[in-house]
Amino acid sequence: MRHVHGRARRAGAALAAVLTWAGLLAGAAGCTSDGGGIGDGIGEVFGKPPAAEDVIRITPDDGSKAVRPKDEQLSVRVSDGRLESVKVVKSQDARQTPVSGRISDDGLSWRPADDRLALAAKYTVDAVALDGQGRRSARHTTFTTYVPDERFIGYVAPENRSVVGTGMIVSLEFSREITDRAAVERAVSVTAKPATEIRPHWFGKDRLDFRPREYWKPGTEVTVHLGLRDVEGAPGVYGLQHKKISFTVGRSQVSRVDAAERTMQVRRDGTLLTTVPITAGAPATPTYNGKMVITEMLDVTRMNSRTVGFGGEYDIPDVPHAIRLTSSGTFLHGNYWAPQDTFGRANVSHGCVGLRDVKGGGSDTPAGWFFDRSLIGDVVEVVHSKDRKVAPDNGLGGWNMNWKEWRAGSAVK
C-alpha cells in the first residue's frame, strides 16, 4: 500500500504542475481586466525588452522640423551593445543622396563624414543595433532642416572652360555683403596643375580674388571649387552654390604701353612681337599707370563721357576693337576719328589707350591686329604716365600689390 500511495503522490504532484502551467498559459493567453497578456507575463519572469528608442538614440529627434545646422548635428548612438548598420539619405532639390559616415571602432556611435547638415533638406535615418544582451532593435526616423529666406551667390570670373592669359585673377563678386568673410573664404578653394601657391584677398565685403605670387605658367589648369551652399555669409543669409569651375592658362602675352614714348611693345612668351604707335591720355585726363588685365573684349561698343564721370565731351556709338582694362572705364581700343599722325606723336584721349583703326574696325590695322591676338587675362602695363597707379580693385588690378600686401587681405589668419 505504501508503494501505491507513493506513486499516487508523485502523480498528484505532476498533475498539479500541469494544472499550474495550464493556468498560467490560460491567463496569459486571454485578456485580463488590466489588459495584461503573454508579453507582460513573460516580461515579469524574463525581463521586458527595452523600446527601440531607448536602445538607439538618434539626433535630431524623430519628426523635428526646421532644424538649424549650427544648432544640431546628426548622430546615432547606443549606450551599450553595438550598432550593426546605419543608413542615412538626404532629399534636397528633388534628389536623393546617400550620406556617407562611419561607425566608431567601439560600435557605440555613427557620425557623418561631413558634420554640417544641409539646409532645406529632409533626412531619413535607418539604424539597426544589438543591445548589451544581444537583442536586436531597429529605428526609422526623419527630420527636416531650416529653409532660409535669404541666399547669396558668387559671380565668378573667368568663365568655365575658358582659355585665358597668364595674368588672369580669379574674382568672385557676391550678390550680398559678406560679414563672416572667414567662413566664406574657407568654403572656396582654388587649385592648379602644376601646383602653385594661390592666396585670397578681400576687397570690401562683396569681392574675393585669388592669384599666385607671379603670373600663371602657360598650360596651367586651374580649378575653382565653390562650397558655398548653406554657408552663413551674413546673419540669416546662406550660400546657394556647390559647383566647380575650371579654366586653362594659354600662352603668355604682356604688352607695355609707354605713355611718354607713345608706343606699345607686345611680347609673346617673352619675345617681342611688335611695337605699335599709340595715343594715351591727354595731360588733363592722363591714363592710369600700372598693370591692368583684359577683362572684356567687344568688337564694337558705344562710349559716352557721361558714363565715366565726364560731361558731354564725347559720345561715340561705334568704337571698334574695344578691350576693357578697368571697371572704371579704361579701354584699349581702336580709334578712327583722330588723324593718323596722332598715333605715336600726341596723347589726346580721355584716359584710354588708342590704336589706329578704321570705321567699322579693320583686321589689318594695329587695333585689329592686337584684338585678334589678345585673350581675356592678358596683361597691359602702362608706364611713364602723369597719373597715379591704378587701384588694385579697379578691374583685376591685384598685380599692383606685392605678395605680402596681397596675403594680408585674407580673412583666415
Side-chain angles (χ1 to χ4, degrees):
M1 291 294 295
R2 292 178 184 173
H3 180 69
V4 172
H5 289 166
R7 286 184 6 191
R9 283 197 298 273
R10 287 195 297 274
L15 178 62
V18 169
L19 289 173
T20 299
W21 276 105
L24 283 172
L25 291 173
C31 294
T32 61
S33 60
D34 61 359
I38 188 170
D40 292 332
I42 295 176
E44 292 175 1
V45 178
F46 296 104
K48 183 179 180 180
E53 58 266 27
D54 294 328
V55 176
I56 306 172
R57 304 294 178 88
I58 299 175
T59 304
D61 293 335
D62 185 27
S64 295
K65 298 182 183 300
V67 174
R68 291 180 177 264
K70 64 181 180 181
D71 296 333
E72 291 196 68
Q73 292 182 336
L74 174 59
S75 68
V76 182
R77 62 191 186 280
V78 295
S79 58
D80 60 4
R82 62 182 176 85
L83 288 166
E84 283 193 329
S85 66
V86 176
K87 178 183 178 182
V88 180
V89 176
K90 176 182 69 177
S91 300
Q92 186 183 48
D93 298 336
R95 292 192 308 169
Q96 291 191 338
T97 308
V99 176
S100 61
R102 64 178 298 271
I103 296 174
S104 61
D105 293 339
D106 59 13
L108 295 177
S109 64
W110 176 94
R111 293 294 296 270
D114 183 356
D115 285 339
R116 187 176 65 191
L117 289 170
L119 291 171
K122 179 182 179 180
Y123 284 83
T124 302
V125 183
D126 287 285
V128 179
L130 297 176
D131 68 11
Q133 298 183 42
R135 294 171 295 196
R136 180 173 282 104
S137 295
R139 284 199 73 190
H140 173 87
T141 68
T142 63
F143 64 90
T144 59
T145 55
Y146 173 69
V147 180
D149 294 326
E150 298 183 83
R151 295 281 201 173
F152 74 89
I153 62 173
Y155 301 99
V156 184
E159 295 182 354
N160 188 35
R161 290 186 288 215
S162 57
V163 177
V164 302
T166 55
M168 189 67 213
I169 291 176
V170 176
S171 186
L172 284 77
E173 291 196 25
F174 299 104
S175 59
R176 299 287 298 269
E177 285 195 351
I178 304 300
T179 57
D180 193 344
R181 298 188 302 173
V184 171
E185 184 179 317
R186 291 190 187 98
V188 181
S189 69
V190 181
T191 56
K193 293 182 180 180
T196 186
E197 183 181 10
I198 304 165
R199 291 300 183 106
H201 187 100
W202 283 91
F203 292 109
K205 294 182 178 180
D206 61 358
R207 177 175 162 185
L208 177 61
D209 286 7
F210 291 81
R211 73 168 175 88
R213 181 191 293 263
E214 307 291 343
Y215 298 147
W216 304 99
K217 292 182 179 179
T220 299
E221 296 178 356
V222 183
T223 302
V224 182
H225 291 272
L226 299 181
L228 296 172
R229 187 175 187 100
D230 301 343
V231 174
E232 192 171 16
V237 183
Y238 296 83
L240 189 59
Q241 296 158 295
H242 187 85
K243 62 188 297 186
K244 181 175 70 173
I245 295 167
S246 61
F247 61 91
T248 303
V249 180
R251 79 293 175 277
S252 169
Q253 181 168 295
V254 178
S255 303
R256 188 173 188 265
V257 173
D258 190 322
E261 295 292 331
R262 304 175 190 89
T263 60
M264 179 174 71
Q265 294 180 333
V266 183
R267 283 184 165 80
R268 177 76 62 86
D269 296 320
T271 301
L272 180 64
L273 293 184
T274 190
T275 301
V276 295
I278 60 96
T279 181
T285 54
T287 305
Y288 288 125
N289 284 292
K291 298 172 183 175
M292 292 168 259
V293 175
I294 295 175
T295 57
E296 187 178 20
M297 298 178 64
L298 305 169
D299 290 315
V300 62
T301 191
R302 178 182 179 181
M303 291 189 177
N304 188 314
S305 59
R306 298 186 188 278
T307 63
V308 291
F310 293 118
E313 290 89 342
Y314 60 88
D315 184 4
I316 307 171
D318 56 354
V319 178
H321 297 130
I323 296 173
R324 181 182 287 277
L325 300 180
T326 71
S327 54
S328 65
T330 305
F331 278 79
L332 190 156
H333 61 76
N335 181 322
Y336 65 81
W337 52 89
Q340 290 196 14
D341 61 358
T342 301
F343 304 96
R345 185 181 63 83
N347 290 328
V348 299
S349 83
H350 285 79
C352 292
V353 176
L355 300 179
R356 183 175 60 81
D357 210 338
V358 296
K359 191 174 178 65
S363 60
D364 57 350
T365 62
W369 180 92
F370 185 74
F371 189 92
D372 290 343
R373 287 161 178 78
S374 294
L375 290 174
I376 300 294
D378 284 347
V379 178
V380 176
E381 182 177 9
V382 177
V383 297
H384 302 145
S385 178
K386 298 296 184 182
D387 203 355
R388 64 187 183 278
K389 183 180 290 187
V390 65
D393 62 345
N394 191 352
L396 301 181
W399 297 110
N400 295 291
M401 303 178 72
N402 64 43
W403 191 233
K404 182 178 180 181
E405 292 172 325
W406 182 264
R407 292 178 59 181
S410 170
V412 179
K413 305 301 181 184

